[in-house]
Amino acid sequence: MTLHDIELALEEEAVEVARRNYRELLKHGLTDQNPGRELIRRTIGAVIEAITSWQEDATSGKAGRSIGLARFLAQYDADEVALIALRAVTSACSSREAKLTATAMSIMADLEQIDLIERLREANKQVYLRFVRSTRGRGSRLSADRKLAILRRQFQYVGTFNASTEFTWTASERLQVGVRLIEIIKETTGLIEIVKADVGARHHVTVIRPSADVEAWLKAAQETCAGARPQFYPMVIPPLPWRGAYGGGYLRPARGQKQALMKFAAGGHRVELQNSSLAPVCAAVNAIQET
């Protein structure tokens, strides 16, 4: 095996390690590279419109299935409800098969948090800030129930009201509202299917699964994200020379990806580079990386 072959193998290994790490982070909700965000961006407008219509029908006295439940959402903005519900549903899509009831109750727990956090801020600003500090940076690692438990302890300390009993929705009402929000997402976006899954010989549960199109899109998007940030090892052969803003350095990116000489987010920098000569910069970088 030549040094060139060894270098290729090392770069392939780095990409595979990145894929494994990404899948593990995605499973626990600890990565900022989540394709679910793109699904939310594409569909949130339709979901907001549908939830707004549901709320308006409830307040107008119009009869209909589940209209009575919508009155519980009157205290929330439709965009707020839509974002929370879509986050839960896209997370369920990523896990491929999540229980309908658990997802519905997770949505309602997040909505309850909004109500309680606002009450805590109004009741005692100092205790509110303490809660914010105690949960900052832990959001993705704390379950909804855990966050609620922390909130309720703050209320016990403040003594304003009993957060365990004064939130007036029953468990049944919460479940029904949460399920209806999931159904609205299914009806307006086509992101998911709600199906029965067998558990043992005589038992089954209702689960949320991504639709066939979304399943295929998620798989491709996650594979792209998984290999997007490999931590390459030191090279065993000289890097490819740079002749412009892209194409030098490691071997593997040159075979299908764009390896950038500089990292930047603003599009304006790209325009500037297109109208500038990078020859002196490339010459200096090439001299250094060949040492």
Side-chain angles (χ1 to χ4, degrees), residues 139-288:
S140 58
R141 298 191 294 274
L142 289 175
S143 68
D145 289 342
R146 177 62 179 151
K147 289 178 186 176
L148 285 178
I150 294 173
L151 262 174
R152 285 168 177 152
R153 282 203 302 272
Q154 307 307 315
F155 277 109
Q156 290 172 5
Y157 176 82
V158 175
T160 305
F161 75 106
N162 188 331
S164 298
T165 60
E166 292 193 27
F167 197 80
T168 57
W169 302 12
T170 67
S172 175
E173 289 166 340
R174 294 182 195 185
L175 178 60
Q176 291 179 71
V177 174
V179 168
R180 182 57 193 145
L181 288 172
I182 295 171
E183 290 174 344
I184 286 174
I185 291 173
K186 174 181 178 293
E187 294 162 4
T188 57
T189 69
L191 289 179
I192 56 170
E193 299 172 350
I194 300 174
V195 299
K196 301 288 186 182
D198 293 332
V199 179
R202 299 184 178 181
H203 301 281
H204 62 264
V205 296
T206 304
V207 300
I208 299 170
R209 290 177 181 166
S211 66
D213 289 344
V214 171
E215 175 86 28
W217 184 88
L218 277 173
K219 184 176 181 180
Q222 288 174 357
E223 282 301 307
T224 299
C225 290
R229 296 181 181 177
Q231 297 296 314
F232 287 120
Y233 308 118
M235 296 185 71
V236 298
I237 61 174
L240 296 175
W242 294 94
R243 295 183 174 86
Y246 299 96
Y250 292 100
L251 306 185
R252 187 181 188 280
R255 298 187 306 156
Q257 302 178 32
K258 280 189 174 182
Q259 175 74 16
L261 176 62
M262 292 161 283
K263 294 183 178 180
F264 39 75
H269 290 79
R270 292 184 174 86
V271 175
E272 286 190 35
L273 289 176
Q274 290 173 358
N275 300 320
S276 303
S277 173
L278 291 179
V281 176
C282 290
V285 172
N286 289 337
I288 293 169

Side-chain angles (χ1 to χ4, degrees), residues 29-73:
L30 299 177
T31 177
D32 60 353
Q33 288 183 292
N34 191 335
R37 293 181 181 180
E38 176 62 17
L39 293 179
I40 292 173
R41 187 191 67 79
R42 294 183 182 186
T43 58
I44 192 167
V47 176
I48 291 173
E49 186 177 340
I51 291 173
T52 300
S53 177
W54 187 32
Q55 291 173 319
E56 289 175 349
D57 287 347
T59 55
S60 68
K62 181 178 179 180
R65 175 178 173 267
S66 77
I67 290 298
L69 296 172
R71 62 188 173 86
F72 290 109
L73 297 178

